[in-house]
Structure formats: structure tokens, C-alpha cells
Amino acid sequence: LQLSSNSCNKKQEILCLSNTQTFDLFHCYSSSTIVNFIKKITMVVLTEPDIDHLPIIINSCKSPSFFNDIPVIDLSKPDSNNLIVKACEEFGFFKVVNHDVPMEFISKLESEAIKFFSSPLSEKLKTGPADPFGYGNKQIGQSGDIGWVEYILLSTNSEFNYKKFASVLGVNPESIRAAVNDYVSAVKKMSCEILEKLAEGLKIHPTNVFSKLLMNEKSDSVFRLNHYPPCPEEFNAKNLIGFGEHTDPQIISVLRSNNTSGLQILLKNGNWFSVPSDQNSFFINVGDSLQVMTNGRFKSVKHRVLTNSVKSRLSMIYFGGPPLSEKIAPLPSLMEGEESSLYKEFTWFEYKKSAFKSRLAENRLTLFEKFGAS
């Protein structure tokens, strides 16, 4: 083992042996803490990273306060329509159970993802950089946001060159393609069911007013696999963020993760609460576009992911988006009396372009508000 002679306040990339006995990429602050940690586990110091800092939060992630009153929607129940509306109004977030997504699809995709993310960094890098699709590591977007995360971003409609994965030893490109296609197809179907139940609860006709945007062959939906390596306790004192606070710009987001905590949502009272993990259910986020289409009746939920010191976290997110040319504006059927639109009309392409130029934590809708809505 060779150590760099860099000064103590300089950051370094460190490849650490994880709890699964595979090597995971970490971004750590060099200090006397690192020296002590090096004595405890096998470690290889890599070249200097091309980043200046990692995001730090004030709240400790060691003893999270779990919020157990998150709405749980049973999709098989007849009253789920109204309960979905209530959840979107109060939280912009809820959990669904009794869904029709086959567990074998979930397990298969998780297995393929673990194979990929457990591979050496040098092999994974050959499947990137994410431009925007492909493999990405630590950099989130193009505006300087950094996280303790690596990921694969895929389009659900256009052909992605899965042959890139052939460069990763032990990973079969066709197996990944099949696993992604099966999973996304099932989750998309569930998403449309939820959106149609939502329309029914709002008494909107036809009830496919939202779901048809996802079903459109030109729908600009994307799929993301996020892997958060364990963050050693020695570095958790820095409270590093896995994925910084943000809202999702699309209509709806469908999240499933393994049985590792880390997800937090921001409640109306301004407090962050950790969401108990549930690997058999799905979590639904209201996106910015749905907030606009309901004229602010629903709020897109701000959320983030904290690091975990013990286990890796693997999450799968389907982002249901409209076609690029689709005009986004409040639905007339949801405007009460002489109520005015809070937002300017814009196309999904215009909003997407603006959103990807912003930082994660920014309120992206501000530029599209008419009267300074909040």
C-alpha cells in the first residue's frame, strides 16, 4: 500500500473494500481520520479526483427520524382514487402496495445491477460517460452537483447501445437489456394505472389525460439505476450527501430500492424525514410537470438521499415524462371559477432544457411562474 504525500486538507478518491466483499468507489476527505481508517481495512489510493468538494449537510444521518405516517395506497382497494389525490395534495409522495409488478422482474434487474456496480471502476468507466445516457460517477448533471453515487441513465424509448456493457467482465449486455425492458414495461403500466386513478379522483374526463402522455410513443421517459456505496462511519461525521435535495421535473417518478435506508422527503413544516425502506413496494413522487398541470394543487416533493455507513443502497427510478413537444399548462377542468393560471404555458422540451441547466436544489419552476407562486 502506497500513500500520497498530499496535505491533510486535500481530497482523495479511495477505493474501499465494502461489506459485500466487492470494491466500491468512495470520495473521502483526506485527514488524520483517513490514516486511522486505513489501519482498519484494506484500501487502495487512486489518483486525485477532478472535483473540489462533496456536498455536506447539517443534519446528522446517523440517527434518522423515521416518518411513519407516509400514505400507503393499496391499488386493489376501491377507495384508492381519492386516497391518491389526498396524498398528492398533502405530501406529493406516497407508497403503493398490491401492485402488479412481478417480483421476478425486480429481482432479475437488481441482480444484473449488482453484477455491474460490483465490477472494477476501470471497466464501468468504459460504459460512460453519461451524455446524458450511460454510466456516470459522482457528477450529477452538468451544473456542478456532486454526490456519493454512481449510476446508469437510460432512455426508455430510443435505442441505447447496450453493447457498451460487454466491456464489463461477467456482465451480459442482452441480460441487462431484457431485465430493464421487462421492469420498465411493468412499472410504466403501473404508473399509468396510478395516473388514471388520480384523474378519476379529480373527476377529470377522459381519465387518460395524464397517462396518455406516458403511453405516447414519443414519450420522453427515462430510467435510472443509482448505486450508493457504504460511507464509513469515520467519514459520516462530514454528513456527505448521496444525492442532493431536488424535485423531479417530469410528471411522475416511481422509485424502488433495496432494503437500505437513505431516502428523505421534505415535509410542509420544513423538516426532513427519513422514509423507512421497503424493497417490495414502490414510492411515488409528484413531479414538477404534474404540479403545473394541477395549477399548484399538487406539489412536487423535494427529496434527497443520505449516505449509509453499513450497506450499499441500490435504487431504480422510472421518470414518466411527456413528449418533448407537449405543452404543459394547468388543465382547464381543474381551474375553479375565475381562478387564474399560476404558470406560463411551456413545452416539456423548454422546461427540460431549463431544468438541466440549473442546480439540483433550485426551484426550477420559478422562471415559469406568472405571479411568483411558491
Side-chain angles (χ1 to χ4, degrees):
L1 177 67
Q2 293 183 341
L3 297 180
S4 165
S5 59
N6 290 350
S7 59
C8 288
N9 62 353
K10 198 166 187 180
K11 289 77 172 179
Q12 306 218 6
E13 277 189 348
I14 294 183
L15 197 62
C16 305
L17 189 63
S18 76
N19 64 306
T20 57
Q21 299 304 303
T22 59
F23 286 99
D24 286 316
L25 183 68
F26 291 91
H27 314 286
C28 306
Y29 284 78
S30 179
S31 65
S32 58
T33 303
I34 289 182
V35 176
N36 292 332
F37 184 63
I38 288 174
K39 294 177 180 178
K40 297 181 181 180
I41 66 172
T42 303
M43 184 175 291
V44 180
V45 178
L46 302 180
T47 56
E48 292 182 24
D50 56 355
I51 57 176
D52 295 321
H53 65 282
L54 282 166
I56 300 174
I57 60 171
I58 296 176
N59 296 335
S60 172
C61 57
K62 292 181 180 179
S63 301
S65 298
F66 287 103
F67 181 62
N68 294 312
D69 294 327
I70 292 171
V72 179
I73 310 297
D74 185 336
L75 293 181
S76 68
K77 300 293 185 180
D79 63 344
S80 59
N81 301 350
N82 295 326
L83 292 177
I84 290 175
V85 171
K86 184 178 180 181
C88 289
E89 290 176 333
E90 296 183 0
F91 298 95
F93 179 88
F94 55 94
K95 180 168 76 172
V96 295
V97 297
N98 283 333
H99 52 80
D100 291 328
V101 180
M103 292 306 297
E104 62 183 276
F105 288 178
I106 297 174
S107 299
K108 181 181 177 182
L109 180 56
E110 182 173 277
S111 176
E112 293 297 331
I114 290 174
K115 286 181 189 177
F116 176 83
F117 288 122
S118 296
S119 302
L121 177 62
S122 58
E123 294 183 13
K124 290 183 289 188
L125 288 174
K126 294 176 183 178
T127 63
D131 57 350
F133 303 116
Y135 173 76
N137 186 294
K138 63 184 177 283
Q139 292 185 329
I140 303 172
Q142 302 177 2
S143 300
D145 289 297
I146 301 295
W148 189 282
V149 63
E150 58 179 342
Y151 62 89
I152 302 172
L153 185 64
L154 304 167
S155 169
T156 63
N157 291 326
S158 61
E159 275 295 309
F160 174 76
N161 183 15
Y162 280 87
K163 291 182 180 179
K164 288 184 177 181
F165 292 109
S167 62
V168 181
L169 188 64
V171 173
N172 186 326
E174 289 306 315
S175 294
I176 292 185
R177 181 201 298 270
V180 170
N181 288 344
D182 287 345
Y183 179 87
V184 168
S185 178
V187 170
K188 178 180 177 180
K189 180 180 178 182
M190 179 186 66
S191 302
C192 290
E193 178 188 357
I194 291 171
L195 289 173
E196 289 176 9
K197 285 179 175 288
L198 178 61
E200 289 177 11
L202 290 171
K203 296 179 172 55
I204 299 175
H205 299 283
T207 57
N208 70 342
V209 64
F210 302 120
S211 63
K212 68 180 181 181
L213 301 178
L214 274 60
M215 294 301 295
N216 191 302
E217 62 179 10
K218 295 183 179 180
S219 167
D220 185 43
S221 298
V222 297
F223 178 65
R224 186 179 184 112
L225 285 165
N226 284 334
H227 175 236
Y228 303 91
C231 179
E233 285 286 357
E234 284 81 352
F235 306 128
N236 248 342
K238 293 290 186 180
N239 293 321
L240 303 183
I241 276 286
F243 208 108
E245 62 180 81
H246 64 287
T247 59
D248 296 333
Q250 291 85 358
I251 297 172
I252 187 175
S253 304
V254 181
L255 165 72
R256 182 268 170 189
S257 68
N258 63 351
N259 200 25
T260 301
S261 62
L263 176 65
Q264 291 191 329
I265 62 171
L266 184 64
L267 301 184
K268 289 182 178 180
N269 62 12
N271 292 328
W272 286 98
F273 283 93
S274 294
V275 178
S277 59
D278 183 345
Q279 59 186 350
N280 299 315
S281 303
F282 289 92
F283 294 94
I284 312 298
N285 291 347
V286 168
D288 295 343
S289 296
L290 187 55
Q291 176 174 323
V292 172
M293 295 176 78
T294 59
N295 203 34
R297 180 171 174 177
F298 299 164
K299 296 290 187 181
S300 55
V301 62
K302 182 164 283 190
H303 53 287
R304 67 188 184 188
V305 177
L306 303 187
T307 57
N308 186 290
S309 62
V310 180
K311 300 187 296 183
S312 293
R313 185 172 190 271
L314 180 70
S315 62
M316 315 166 180
I317 314 101
Y318 168 76
F319 299 95
L324 291 172
S325 60
E326 183 70 26
K327 293 181 178 179
I328 308 297
L331 298 177
S333 58
L334 293 180
M335 305 289 279
E336 299 179 0
E338 298 182 359
E339 181 182 3
S340 299
S341 170
L342 299 177
Y343 304 95
K344 307 170 187 175
E345 184 179 84
F346 53 86
T347 65
W348 168 239
F349 174 78
E350 291 171 332
Y351 188 62
K352 180 180 178 180
K353 183 178 179 181
S354 173
F356 280 89
K357 286 183 178 179
S358 66
R359 298 297 296 268
L360 277 177
E362 291 179 17
N363 181 355
R364 305 182 182 105
L365 282 174
T366 299
L367 295 176
F368 299 89
E369 294 172 348
K370 278 188 175 181
F371 309 109
S374 59

